[in-house]
Amino acid sequence: MNHILYKMYDIHCIKSKTYFMNNINIFMNQIFIDIYGLIYFELSNGDFSVFDDSDIIEYELHFDKNILNIRGDQLAMGVDTFINKKCKDLDMDEFGILKKIKLNEMTSVKQAIGEPLRAIQKIVYQSTQTGISLIFKDMKMIFINLGDEIYIYNHLTQELLHDGYQEICE
């Protein structure tokens, strides 16, 4: 497998799933500070406080030294990660708006704020990496692609395990 690293405007785009785990290790022991989501809203009615988890299309995690950006890949099966890339608001006129919103108060991430990242694991489904698990002292944040949407879980649910999703230690 070729390992491709694109460098565009000091943004490192990790395109190979094998290379991904090697490169993401720069986040080990860094303190998790903030999380933002790039959220799709159908109409810009000014109320950006009400949204569904399925409306979050991209996550931006701030650590003390770097930023980790996680979003679905182009095949809608896995995740793509970017280092030091920031999400940006985007007005798509009649198609809606993408708005960057701080998500620190979400139950699935709240406990990890201020904690160092201790481990990283792959989430695999039928030999395809479909997500990553970020492990902190007292909790996990699992980012998993379920079709064309990225969800955050604190553990793989019984349903996901039954369907064949696995957490793989590297």
Side-chain angles (χ1 to χ4, degrees):
M1 175 181 288
N2 291 334
H3 303 304
I4 302 169
L5 176 65
Y6 295 96
K7 186 167 182 175
M8 301 175 285
Y9 311 106
D10 292 327
I11 298 169
H12 300 280
C13 172
I14 305 158
K15 300 304 279 185
S16 160
K17 300 303 184 204
T18 303
Y19 190 69
F20 158 81
M21 289 306 284
N22 294 333
N23 207 11
I24 202 170
N25 283 332
I26 67 168
F27 290 92
M28 293 299 296
N29 298 313
Q30 288 192 35
I31 305 296
F32 178 53
I33 298 172
D34 285 315
I35 184 168
Y36 293 85
L38 190 62
I39 302 169
Y40 171 74
F41 293 93
E42 285 188 24
L43 300 173
S44 179
N45 63 7
D47 183 8
F48 298 114
S49 63
V50 179
F51 57 89
D52 188 68
D53 289 352
S54 65
D55 296 328
I56 305 171
I57 63 167
E58 195 169 324
Y59 291 92
E60 177 182 307
L61 289 78
H62 290 233
F63 289 83
D64 58 343
K65 297 177 185 162
N66 293 292
I67 296 170
L68 176 61
N69 185 286
I70 301 171
R71 67 178 180 200
D73 68 6
Q74 293 179 351
L75 301 175
M77 292 177 59
V79 292
D80 279 339
T81 58
F82 299 85
I83 298 173
N84 296 330
K85 176 189 177 293
K86 292 187 176 186
C87 301
K88 294 182 180 162
D89 292 351
L90 177 64
D91 187 346
M92 301 179 297
D93 295 322
E94 69 271 10
F95 299 108
I97 189 167
L98 296 176
K99 183 81 174 159
K100 180 178 171 178
I101 296 178
K102 195 172 194 175
L103 303 174
N104 285 16
E105 294 302 315
M106 285 179 65
T107 306
S108 53
V109 301
K110 195 174 186 176
Q111 193 176 354
I113 303 292
E115 294 291 326
L117 181 62
R118 304 239 188 243
I120 303 167
Q121 296 178 335
K122 292 180 182 181
I123 304 299
V124 176
Y125 175 71
Q126 296 181 347
S127 303
T128 300
Q129 182 177 343
T130 58
I132 61 170
S133 177
L134 304 178
I135 302 169
F136 298 88
K137 180 181 177 187
D138 296 320
M139 71 167 295
K140 289 182 188 179
M141 286 191 314
I142 296 175
F143 294 85
I144 189 168
N145 189 337
L146 299 176
D148 59 354
E149 299 164 347
I150 302 292
Y151 289 92
I152 300 179
Y153 292 101
N154 293 120
H155 62 277
L156 287 177
T157 64
Q158 287 297 89
E159 183 179 330
L160 290 172
L161 290 168
H162 182 266
D163 288 346
Y165 287 85
Q166 301 174 329
E167 205 166 354
I168 307 292
C169 299
E170 286 269 318

